[in-house]
Amino acid sequence: MCCSNAASLVALLCSVAVVVSTITHDGCVVNSDGAMQCEALAGAQLVQRGKLAQPAEFRTPFFDVDTCAAQGPEHGRFALAVSYAGVFPEDLLPHVLKMRAYGGWADVIILTTAQDAKRLSKEQQTALSINKVQLMLTDQIMPPELTDQCDLQDLVGLHVLALEGYDGVALYSHDAEPRGDIRPILKCAAAGHLITANPGIDERSTGIDFVAARPDPRLFSVALGIASRLANGKNCGMDLLESLVGTSSNPAVQLALAEAGSTQAVGIDPCIWNYRAGVFCGEHFDISRVRVQRGVASGDVLQLRSPLSLLAREPTFGFWFPVFNQASSVLRVVGSVRKHYPDSPILLVGDGGVVNFAPVCERPKYKCAFEQMTPENSRWNPHSWFKRMREGTQKLGTDYVIYLEPDVEVRHRHKIHPEHDAGGVFDNFNPSFGQPAIDYLERKGRERNPDFRILWTHFGLTGGSYFRSEAILDAFALEHINKLDYVGLEANMHEPAWSSDLAMHLALSARGWEVYPWKECAQNFLDAPKDEAGKRKFAALWPALNEGAAFEHNHKEHYNDHLDKEDEKLLAGIPYGPPDVTCHGCVWYDWDNHLLPIPSGAPLPLNEQDRFDWVPPSLTQP
């Protein structure tokens, strides 16, 4: 059977021995004991429609996906999959972020054989990891009539029909680019429909371009049985899907689908759900209706690629650095970053203070940018912090953002790539969240990610922490920040709820993004033992002691370092401006992004269900 983790998929073809029935090309049913029963089919033949030349009787309205989706689960577990066999292209999933964005909370999966998985380069494996793409392996045990005649990639892709642990799954070609909400496909499949979107319309399609279903090993067995009778070369994948839809009204097929948990095999409009510019959709087709496009589209169709597309390359890192008046320590950190990350953008953001870093940033040894902001004491005012960090992330334009503080020591370029959405110091020396806060954040986080669990219940997101840019742009967006109940959080967690290193964790978790310590981010313990045995014993208790980490926090001994003469000449003062803000939890924005008077109290979320102490009615009803 198929597994929902990266472990090898067990040989699904063992189900051939236990298939209740498979359908032959001449319309008969072959039972598992080899006996044939033709009466139930009433002599019906499997239908194979010709490409592009659809007979008039098949030109019926397509199945309504959006209406069907209302029958499916609102927050099920879903997956979007692609299959590969043979050599992998350099760009495995060029639209992975669009798959995730328009597929909501769906997992992204690559199906391949164990033998082909060995062809993945180290860079490609890294790319899969950092983009949270699961690699699932299929056992290549197929009957000879299939492996000799059918495309192996189609056979591998068929395993999507048996992915255990999912309510709905969809298999797309790797070049499929979502352009709109594709969650209805998954919800409709979860409602019990076997869905195809390419019956007889595309002369360039010969295999399985798309299929969606509520996965079940019995469904896989049914499909495999039909495929074994349709094995006629490279077209057998498409012929299989067309046959399922074309014979779904047949009692024997209906019985087989029902046993597999599917109520109906349906065809949906490929011009909307699997669009490829061509004759079928017509020259005047409204391309604004397209939810998914395939391959190289016409010049009229949006062809934007995700800025963070999955490429066989190293991810890019930018540095966001809020600064005040510690000039020498700031420049020490910037210089170290530039040494180990020569091409990474560095953005300094002044929150009040009197130091203008712009002239010194032009020196090649620093090569940074500087912006002076209105004083808001952002590090103790979450709304201000989120707004500025999100804007900085947009300007940096990198895959990840590393947050800097003046007391960070940069030892070398990191060697361990981020494995989660954000991560910092292993700070088990800080207090843990209480259960009420965990319950609140997980409840909120599951609105985007139904399987969300908080992995780390401490603070940790201090200088040297990394953040997936995608997570920042989502979690720190005003529409989501204003749903956080800071009145309730402050009452439960007190003033630390306003501190940036905890506030970021709260906001990310409330959107279902994973936060967990990064082995490249350490803490400088002033009381750590000096001998090796003592260090090992200390580190066993406090893992933040890590001399091999790239970034180490808490080096305040550099705050009074002397500036070199050239830097001192270039550092300019800032003309008198608004007074610095020193209050905590006093700077807030309203739903229209307007700054409220300073000081103000935290605004409550508009919806009652976003409140910290909200209890679902199902738990209060007798």
Side-chain angles (χ1 to χ4, degrees), residues 18-33:
V18 295
V19 172
V20 175
S21 63
T22 58
I23 301 174
T24 70
H25 189 60
D26 58 4
C28 296
V29 176
V30 182
N31 293 329
S32 57
D33 60 1

Side-chain angles (χ1 to χ4, degrees), residues 204-227:
R204 291 163 293 184
S205 295
T206 58
I208 300 178
D209 289 333
F210 167 83
V211 65
R214 180 167 64 195
D216 188 293
R218 294 167 295 180
L219 180 60
F220 175 82
S221 299
V222 171
L224 203 64
I226 294 177

Side-chain angles (χ1 to χ4, degrees), residues 396-455:
L396 289 170
T398 51
D399 299 343
Y400 289 90
V401 172
I402 294 179
Y403 159 52
L404 297 174
E405 292 180 327
D407 62 345
V408 170
E409 182 173 276
V410 186
R411 295 166 169 167
H412 53 77
R413 189 182 182 94
H414 71 272
K415 300 174 183 177
I416 302 173
H417 280 306
E419 298 177 346
H420 299 277
D421 300 309
V425 171
F426 205 112
D427 67 329
N428 56 338
F429 48 82
N430 275 324
S432 176
F433 299 174
Q435 192 59 46
I438 293 174
D439 292 342
Y440 171 69
L441 296 171
E442 288 185 340
R443 168 164 60 86
K444 294 290 297 171
R446 288 170 190 157
E447 293 175 6
R448 190 191 69 88
N449 179 0
D451 298 316
F452 176 67
R453 295 287 188 278
I454 289 181
L455 304 178

